[in-house]
Amino acid sequence: MRTREEVDATLHVAKVNPAELLPVVQSLSFGPQVGAGECCLLQLEPELCAELEAGRSLVIRGDREEHAVLCSADKTYDMKIADTSNTLLLIPGCETPEQLDADKPPCDVVHVQIAGFSKNFWELRRCRPKLKKLKKLLMENPYEGPDNQQEQTSTNSKYTTEDLLDQVQASKEEIMQQLVNLKACQIEGYWRILDFDYEMKLLNHVTQLIYSESWPFNKVPLSVCLQELGPLEPKNMIEHILMCYGRKYIDEDETYFEMYEEKICKAIAQMLLNNAVKFSLSEFQEVWQQSVPEGMVTRLDQLKGLALADHSSRPETISLLNVEDLPEDNQERFNVLFKIREKWTEADIVPYIQDLCSEKQTTGALLTKYARSSMQNGLKVYNSRRPIS
């Protein structure tokens, strides 16, 4: 170990004036079993540091074939190795100049050992949660109702919350929110997505009851719904469908639901479009209006991200194109879209790419990167920047 005299001699040879330095010196030496690659360094933003300091966990998620992500309670981060030209030393007990100046007597030599070193570190970048896999897992075994024969004999996979946290690359909060978006529910401890036909059956029971009782759609009583529809379907399924298509509130100690008319109209449109590759637009609008509960207004803008109208064909047509079924990767998403249609207007393509935007990104920036603009009949349109096979 170096003595103070050896330190001063080294400063003299290096022609460094000791008066320009702090009087306390930290003398570094390697520990007995230090080797490269024995420690990994992780660069954390202050918010993530606070998570660890508060005793909360950060979790690395990803199967063998997936790129690893790190998740806090509510956010997801891409992990990427960043190389550095300087060797990074891990030194437990090493102190800052401020600490040395305050705590140590002058003319002191402090001996500290290097516990590890690395020439790279893990860099984190906030990213979108990778949630497509969640729907894929749940669609392996959609719930078709308690009386369905397949439900009683099926051996298909079912997933608990812990199973989903283990397999889906997203934070717990993001996964739970996506389960709400997918209208999933817990049945006997497992998360299930309703089969679409069964979902429509439940919704039809509710809307028919609302119509027969002449209730306003913003005040549907839960207790009466359970009493009237309980003999037809499980009460938990009735309440679940009310939660999916409405908002629960309490009025004079009674529980009511305000039903979302636009959501109901969109679901009925999806049911109609599921049964046709393409639908004459005028015919579809007529059938759609006849199919929704009386008094509800149907508008094409309600179907953004669900259906695509083609106004250039004769007659005009509409077909199902659900943004939930498109790839999660940016380039793959644009490839699929430009295979479906060579040229897109901004109004048509935005509903199919806005979910790709990060916190500080706009759809305009995405279009600039992945598409090329041109004018067609006085209207700006976008086509692919690369050949589509």
Side-chain angles (χ1 to χ4, degrees):
M1 293 185 178
R2 290 186 177 185
T3 64
R4 184 72 205 195
E5 291 72 22
E6 289 173 326
V7 170
D8 290 339
T10 301
L11 293 176
H12 178 73
V13 171
K15 298 181 180 180
V16 176
N17 183 2
E20 297 176 355
L21 306 176
L22 288 174
V24 180
V25 175
Q26 294 188 89
S27 177
L28 308 183
S29 61
F30 283 94
Q33 296 179 332
V34 176
E38 293 184 1
C39 64
C40 295
L41 300 179
L42 188 64
Q43 185 182 63
L44 298 179
E45 60 185 34
E47 184 180 349
L48 288 178
C49 280
E51 289 279 315
L52 292 178
E53 290 167 355
R56 291 185 283 272
S57 299
L58 301 178
V59 185
I60 295 175
R61 294 193 170 114
D63 290 336
R64 288 180 179 273
E65 69 277 6
E66 296 172 331
H67 184 77
V69 299
L70 182 139
C71 299
S72 65
D74 60 350
K75 295 181 178 66
T76 303
Y77 298 83
D78 263 329
M79 300 181 67
K80 182 181 178 181
I81 291 181
D83 292 320
T84 174
S85 57
N86 297 321
T87 299
L88 302 170
L89 303 179
L90 181 62
I91 311 174
C94 187
E95 296 181 298
T96 65
E98 293 78 12
Q99 292 170 318
L100 288 171
D101 194 27
D103 299 339
K104 299 291 186 299
C107 300
D108 193 15
V109 177
V110 179
H111 298 280
V112 291
Q113 280 197 336
I114 299 168
F117 65 92
S118 178
K119 294 186 177 181
N120 54 51
F121 61 92
W122 286 98
E123 188 177 47
L124 302 183
R125 183 174 297 176
R126 179 77 188 277
C127 68
R128 298 190 313 274
K130 304 178 189 304
L131 294 165
K132 293 291 182 183
K133 188 175 181 179
L134 178 59
K135 183 176 181 180
K136 181 181 178 182
L137 292 173
L138 296 180
M139 286 303 294
E140 292 173 0
N141 190 15
Y143 185 67
E144 300 181 23
D147 299 328
N148 185 272
Q149 183 65 33
Q150 185 176 348
E151 180 64 29
Q152 298 170 10
T153 60
S154 175
T155 57
N156 291 341
S157 300
K158 297 178 184 178
Y159 299 94
T160 64
T161 301
E162 290 304 315
D163 293 332
L164 296 177
L165 288 173
D166 187 52
Q167 298 193 48
V168 178
Q169 292 182 291
S171 69
K172 183 172 183 178
E173 185 174 307
E174 290 164 332
I175 289 173
M176 299 309 290
Q177 181 56 53
Q178 184 67 1
L179 287 169
V180 173
N181 297 341
L182 294 172
K183 301 192 284 288
C185 62
Q186 278 189 301
I187 299 174
E188 298 178 351
Y190 297 100
W191 285 101
R192 308 289 298 278
I193 283 183
L194 301 188
D195 175 77
F196 187 71
D197 289 341
Y198 182 57
E199 181 183 330
M200 290 298 98
K201 179 182 176 183
L202 292 170
L203 182 60
N204 184 60
H205 284 322
V206 171
T207 55
Q208 288 294 330
L209 181 62
I210 294 172
Y211 181 74
S212 64
E213 298 289 341
S214 300
W215 292 329
F217 271 87
N218 62 355
K219 198 168 186 179
V220 177
L222 173 61
S223 59
V224 182
C225 285
L226 297 181
Q227 181 182 340
E228 294 295 322
L229 300 177
L232 302 176
E233 297 293 343
K235 291 183 178 181
N236 63 326
M237 288 292 100
I238 299 300
E239 185 166 2
H240 175 66
I241 209 70
L242 288 167
M243 290 289 294
C244 291
Y245 288 92
R247 176 186 67 86
K248 182 191 285 190
Y249 67 95
I250 307 295
D251 185 20
E252 297 180 351
D253 296 327
E254 288 289 332
T255 302
Y256 294 92
F257 280 87
E258 176 188 0
M259 304 305 292
Y260 297 137
E261 297 186 17
E262 186 168 318
K263 243 184 173 181
I264 295 172
C265 288
K266 189 173 181 177
I268 293 172
Q270 183 175 349
M271 178 183 67
L272 296 173
L273 292 169
N274 274 343
N275 299 320
V277 177
K278 280 192 177 182
F279 216 128
S280 164
L281 182 57
S282 59
E283 183 183 343
F284 165 77
Q285 289 178 295
E286 182 180 344
V287 175
W288 186 26
Q289 183 60 56
Q290 293 171 353
S291 302
V292 301
E294 187 175 343
M296 288 191 177
V297 178
T298 59
R299 306 184 315 275
L300 282 181
D301 64 354
Q302 295 172 332
L303 305 184
K304 288 181 178 179
L306 175 70
L308 186 63
D310 185 354
H311 299 288
S312 64
S313 65
R314 292 294 177 270
E316 295 178 326
T317 59
I318 188 169
S319 56
L320 186 69
L321 182 58
N322 195 340
V323 66
E324 292 181 1
D325 300 327
L326 296 177
E328 207 163 32
D329 177 76
N330 290 10
Q331 187 62 65
E332 290 180 20
R333 174 79 62 90
F334 276 91
N335 288 348
V336 168
L337 291 174
F338 287 122
K339 281 181 181 179
I340 293 170
R341 180 180 286 184
E342 183 182 356
K343 296 182 184 292
W344 291 74
T345 64
E346 185 174 3
D348 282 345
I349 200 171
V350 162
Y352 293 103
I353 62 171
Q354 57 189 3
D355 64 309
L356 299 178
C357 295
S358 57
E359 283 184 309
K360 299 179 181 179
Q361 196 173 36
T362 64
T363 53
L366 282 174
L367 287 170
T368 299
K369 183 174 181 179
Y370 294 100
R372 193 188 310 276
S373 65
S374 59
M375 300 300 294
Q376 181 174 294
N377 300 325
L379 186 67
K380 181 184 281 189
V381 293
Y382 295 89
N383 64 289
S384 177
R385 279 192 172 275
R386 55 174 62 183
I388 300 297
S389 57

